[in-house]
Amino acid sequence: VKENLSENDALITMLISNQRSYVWLTTKEGVFRHDSEMTLKDVSEHAQRLIKSLDPAQMGKTAFPIDSSSKLYELLIAPFKDELDGIDRLIFSPDPILSQIPFSILTRSSGDSFDVVSGSDELRGAAVVKLSPTKESVTNDLAKVDWLIKDYSIAVIPSVYSYVGLESYNRNEVVDSFLGIGNPVLSGSDVVLRGVEKVALKDQRGSISRTISDLSALPETEIELNTIAKFFTNSEVITQNDATETTLRDMDLSGFDVVAFATHALVSNEIDDLFEPAIVLTPVDSDNSENDGLLMASEIAELNMDADIVLLSACNTASAFGESNSQGLSGIADSFFEAGAKSLLVSYWSVISDSAVDITTRMFDKSNTGKSYAHRHRESILQLLKESNNYQTNPVYWAPFMVVGVN
């Protein structure tokens, strides 16, 4: 593992047990360990508080807990302050209990929580954040938070074993071809069903109802894909009636360096009769599993790809099959690795569409000089955090994405 690390990389691995926690830091200089009294129950509670607070579908029912974010920072980062001097990329191999949170939201800060409140047009119907209590403006307070992403580029790997395998991939010397798939033909209204309650959520990518026919259209994804396509010499964008499973299977996907899916993504059981994660394409024949509009994880694994990175600009693409699944990063993400992708950009919760457009297009802008996709992702986030718009400095907006893989 040390041989595969660059001079500015640090690998963080962990074991969270019922009695205590162990964290290892590996750099070119050596391997370092930190033992903590935090138990599996403690870490799980902090992780669940974080992820629940950042789910736009909660609509103000929870607050972002700075204390939990700080506690996890103290567990994973603070003990290695000296060893991290000169490091610019952190590579996490997370314990399953932490595999569903983006490490970018860890922070050195402590104090008040962020109240997530509804009723803001700025966040396109999802949520807006404020500090409570506070006498200062939202923007100023958010700007003071020491998010981990401000200090380091961050990547995630499914396991230490996969890290060696991913590092051994030969990266394409010239990344100059792009395929974008998005804006499938969908006719549903923008409604999320939570039990018997209906809550309007505008332009949010994820589960909108119990059947694929009720999923909302995402016309802005076509703009997103066409904007990214401009940064490549060779590009192709497939949308609407062409964005079908059959079209995808008939293509030679191995010829594209970057592939982007800008659409809904669903985890198992999120709609009726869905037993594995899936990406939503244009449904053609509901009775034909090969063209029903649901590109299942098992079907993704059978694709032939050689992409430097696959952008999954949707929701829940880092999710496991369920809380009992011990693999953590699984489902759709693992399937793309099986298909031949070298790295992925995945999301941890329902993505606000403006956020997806902002982050993915900034990653491939010629002004972004990041030396890896993790560095490019960080530069995109830092640009957003510099802007004065309240909702863009809100972690609900900028934090759902994470790079998986290290090329």
Side-chain angles (χ1 to χ4, degrees), residues 143-164:
K144 293 179 181 178
V145 177
D146 295 316
W147 307 110
L148 186 63
I149 194 73
K150 289 186 177 181
D151 296 325
Y152 304 98
S153 299
I154 300 170
V156 175
I157 54 173
S159 69
V160 174
Y161 301 105
S162 68
Y163 169 71
V164 177

Side-chain angles (χ1 to χ4, degrees), residues 7-27:
E7 293 293 337
N8 303 115
D9 282 350
L11 174 65
I12 297 176
T13 58
M14 62 205 75
L15 174 63
I16 313 297
S17 73
N18 290 324
Q19 288 76 37
R20 59 194 300 112
S21 297
Y22 307 89
V23 184
W24 291 268
L25 177 79
T26 304
T27 68

Side-chain angles (χ1 to χ4, degrees), residues 175-182 220-239 256-262 311 356-357 359-366:
V175 179
D176 206 26
S177 58
F178 171 77
L179 172 65
I181 306 102
E220 76 288 343
T221 62
E222 195 161 339
I223 300 173
E224 173 185 343
L225 295 173
N226 283 319
T227 301
I228 298 175
K230 293 177 182 177
F231 301 131
F232 296 84
T233 303
N234 304 306
S235 63
E236 186 171 351
V237 174
I238 300 172
T239 62
F256 294 97
D257 301 314
V258 177
V259 178
F261 289 86
L311 311 181
V357 174
I359 293 171
T360 57
T361 55
R362 289 172 195 254
M363 281 185 66
F364 291 94
D365 191 290
K366 297 302 182 184

Side-chain angles (χ1 to χ4, degrees), residues 355-383:
S355 165
V357 174
D358 262 348
I359 293 171
T360 57
T361 55
R362 289 172 195 254
M363 281 185 66
F364 291 94
D365 191 290
K366 297 302 182 184
S367 64
N368 191 325
T369 58
K371 60 185 179 182
S372 74
Y373 291 114
H375 290 86
R376 285 176 168 268
H377 174 249
R378 176 176 179 263
E379 286 200 20
S380 299
I381 300 305
L382 293 183
Q383 289 177 23

